[in-house]
Amino acid sequence: MTVGNRAALAAVAAGAAALAVATVVAVVSRPAGSVGTEQAAALASPTAASTGPVVAVAPGALPDDAEPVRPVRLRIPAIEVTARVDPVGVDERTQEFDVPPSVDEIGWYRYGPGLAAESGSVVIAGHVDSAEQGKGAFYRLRELAPGDTVTATGDDGTERTYRVVAREEYDKTKIPLERYFARDGRPRLTLITCGGPFDAEARRYRDNIVVTASPV
Amino acid sequence: MQFAYLRRAAAGGAVAALTFVGAGIATATPAYAADSKVSVVHGIPDTPVDVYVNGEKTLENFEPGDVAGPLDLPEGQYDLALTRPGEPIGEAILTADDAEVPGGANISIAAHLDADGEPTITPFVNDTARVDAGKARLIVRHTAAAPAVDVRAGGSPVFEGLTNPNEAKGDVDAGSVSADVVLAGTDTVVIGPADLNLSEGTATIVYAIGSAEAENLAVVAQTIDGLHSAPSGVPSGTGGQADTGLGTWWYALAGAGILLLVAGGARAAVVRSGRR
């Protein structure tokens, strides 16, 4: 066997090894994908309003300021998360969800339902990570699976436990936000963060990870 | 006997015709003419009434300051009549014939005083377009026997020169504001101040009712919810540590692998053929 032949075979072996490693990495790093999509959609379908033949008559009083029960703390044992929850709204300029700047804190959408609401989606979003602060409270949100529990403590001091029914991954341009910010449908808790491939130049993730949980 | 039979047959025919028309509407509905939501607002002081729609008593002893509905009504023309409670429709104190209800709209019919203090009925079409996330819609309607007014929020005018029977509206930041009503261009407060809690994603409709002369100006309010919009997005990561895409190093590795395979294979083939 010549030296040239040996080198050629070594090159072939090295090439095969490199391709094998690349394949393994590609398979392992594939996103976990979505589970429970149908269950999540079912929770969001509007509940039939009971309309009797009688015309409802009510005093035309000015609306009162009924404050919803806001979540102040969220605990997710499966991914070892305990985080403070701040009430947040939308960014004035972009109309985007105003996720708290500190990655250790997560934000509750204060315009939507509170924990005591009898219908609709309680939305809490948090950072997966940030360039300056590193990993965020929701770094491991994508690891949640149906059956995992989430406990939210309200400002009324009551703990409410939810069970995960779905984890979905959506391209940010295709996510049905109307459904996750709905105020009708069954009462549910919706957790949102970023995920999927990262665009290093735009410093943004392509996808949103959405976890839907039902009250236990 | 024969006559009775004929009548029954005619009635049967009518039912059949109605069913047929009903089926036609049911199949044609998606394209147009969805039912309208109709609310009734009572803004005439000291005058409880019964409300008749197309000759049928729909509301009994409807009190001033109350809001009824919303009722789902198909598109069409309706005859409205208001009587003193218990009195026959023939002695109605206020009627509106052929009131037009368009399809798929949200309407408020207000019984109120005109600028001169005479009872009247005014239909308003409610703006139920979605509001931006974080916003609430405020609609103010002048339905009182009073001159032009300004509406102020937090002391500064938001709607100016509003006259009976008109409305002014705007989308504002959701939250609570202290509002009052002054005679247009003056600081003479005629209503309020009152705290207005404008919930996000709702329209709050405030009617000024009553009479300035009788010193019974007041407000009636109606709220329409479900007008909210979702935020435009949820940006929640700038670090890239959770990147699940394949980095440039992966493409370099895969590329190098292919190059080595091809080059090595070619070289081996050349060496082998050279030996032959």
Side-chain angles (χ1 to χ4, degrees):
Chain A
M1 197 176 252
T2 66
V3 174
N5 197 18
R6 204 172 294 160
L9 287 178
V12 169
L19 275 182
V21 169
T23 308
V24 167
V25 167
V27 169
V28 167
S29 71
R30 216 170 37 170
S34 300
V35 285
T37 301
E38 278 169 30
Q39 287 86 334
L43 288 177
S45 59
T47 40
S50 57
T51 46
V54 184
V55 185
V57 177
L62 290 171
D64 55 10
D65 56 343
E67 285 291 323
V69 174
R70 68 180 185 89
V72 293
R73 184 163 297 277
L74 192 75
R75 204 154 43 80
I76 315 174
I79 55 171
E80 294 161 1
V81 167
T82 303
R84 204 179 95 178
V85 185
D86 294 331
V88 299
V90 290
D91 184 293
E92 277 285 325
R93 193 175 50 81
T94 62
Q95 293 281 302
E96 288 175 324
F97 192 108
D98 213 355
V99 181
S102 164
V103 298
D104 297 327
E105 287 164 21
I106 52 186
W108 162 66
Y109 192 59
R110 63 188 169 93
Y111 300 132
L115 293 177
E118 285 166 6
S119 63
S121 168
V122 180
V123 186
I124 296 176
H127 277 101
V128 63
D129 66 359
S130 106
E132 298 80 22
Q133 303 169 58
K135 292 179 183 175
F138 277 179
Y139 186 76
R140 295 174 62 197
L141 198 68
R142 65 192 152 141
E143 295 173 25
L144 284 182
D148 289 341
T149 59
V150 179
T151 302
T153 309
D155 64 354
D156 59 351
T158 306
E159 285 198 345
R160 293 171 178 82
T161 301
Y162 300 79
R163 198 175 300 283
V164 173
V165 297
R167 181 202 62 240
E168 297 161 282
E169 182 165 344
Y170 287 102
D171 190 311
K172 281 178 182 170
T173 60
K174 298 193 181 78
I175 180 170
L177 287 171
E178 291 290 332
R179 185 205 292 171
Y180 296 113
F181 285 86
R183 295 175 197 179
D184 54 5
R186 302 270 294 282
R188 56 204 188 273
L189 177 65
T190 303
L191 310 176
I192 306 179
T193 192
C194 280
F198 185 72
D199 180 340
E201 255 166 56
R203 304 225 63 80
R204 80 189 273 283
Y205 287 90
R206 187 193 67 191
D207 299 344
N208 273 132
I209 309 283
V210 185
V211 168
T212 303
S214 239
V216 172
Chain B
M1 192 71 190
Q2 186 106 33
F3 184 67
Y5 169 74
L6 271 179
R7 253 210 325 224
R8 207 174 307 142
V15 168
L18 274 179
T19 313
F20 178 73
V21 170
I25 288 171
T27 48
T29 299
Y32 67 101
D35 281 2
S36 279
K37 298 234 174 267
V38 180
S39 301
V40 185
V41 178
H42 191 341
I44 304 172
D46 310 322
T47 317
V49 294
D50 290 346
V51 178
Y52 288 81
V53 178
N54 287 344
E56 244 177 73
K57 194 188 280 187
T58 307
L59 293 170
E60 211 162 21
N61 203 18
F62 189 37
E63 295 280 350
D66 279 0
V67 177
L71 280 165
D72 287 315
L73 291 183
E75 174 178 3
Q77 293 178 328
Y78 293 86
D79 294 340
L80 304 172
L82 273 58
T83 67
R84 291 187 192 286
E87 287 191 1
I89 189 168
E91 288 168 30
I93 51 173
L94 195 55
T95 59
D97 289 341
D98 301 331
E100 203 71 53
V101 172
N106 190 309
I107 296 171
S108 292
I109 295 173
H112 66 99
L113 300 178
D114 67 13
D116 300 324
E118 293 299 317
T120 185
I121 291 176
T122 306
F124 291 94
V125 175
N126 303 321
D127 181 354
T128 54
R130 297 216 158 213
V131 296
D132 287 343
K135 302 287 182 183
R137 182 165 298 139
L138 174 61
I139 302 174
V140 181
R141 291 174 178 161
H142 189 326
T143 50
V149 296
D150 295 343
V151 179
R152 304 189 303 184
S156 52
V158 284
F159 304 129
E160 292 177 283
L162 185 60
T163 55
N164 187 324
N166 296 303
E167 70 169 26
K169 63 179 179 176
D171 289 1
V172 298
D173 286 342
S176 187
V177 289
S178 176
D180 61 10
V181 177
V182 296
L183 293 176
T186 73
D187 286 323
T188 310
V189 177
V190 289
I191 301 177
D195 281 336
L196 272 183
N197 298 301
L198 305 172
S199 295
E200 200 261 357
T202 69
T204 301
I205 307 171
V206 182
Y207 301 81
I209 63 161
S211 155
E213 208 176 273
E215 293 183 345
N216 58 4
L217 288 175
V219 292
V220 181
Q222 175 192 3
T223 307
I224 300 172
D225 58 16
L227 309 183
H228 57 276
S229 302
S232 64
V234 186
S236 44
T238 57
Q241 288 195 62
D243 186 8
T244 58
L246 301 165
T248 42
W249 67 267
W250 183 89
Y251 292 97
L253 179 67
I258 291 168
L259 272 178
L260 283 171
L261 266 182
V262 171
R267 174 77 182 137
V270 168
V271 168
R272 211 165 286 152
S273 64
R275 233 181 354 196
R276 208 173 278 157

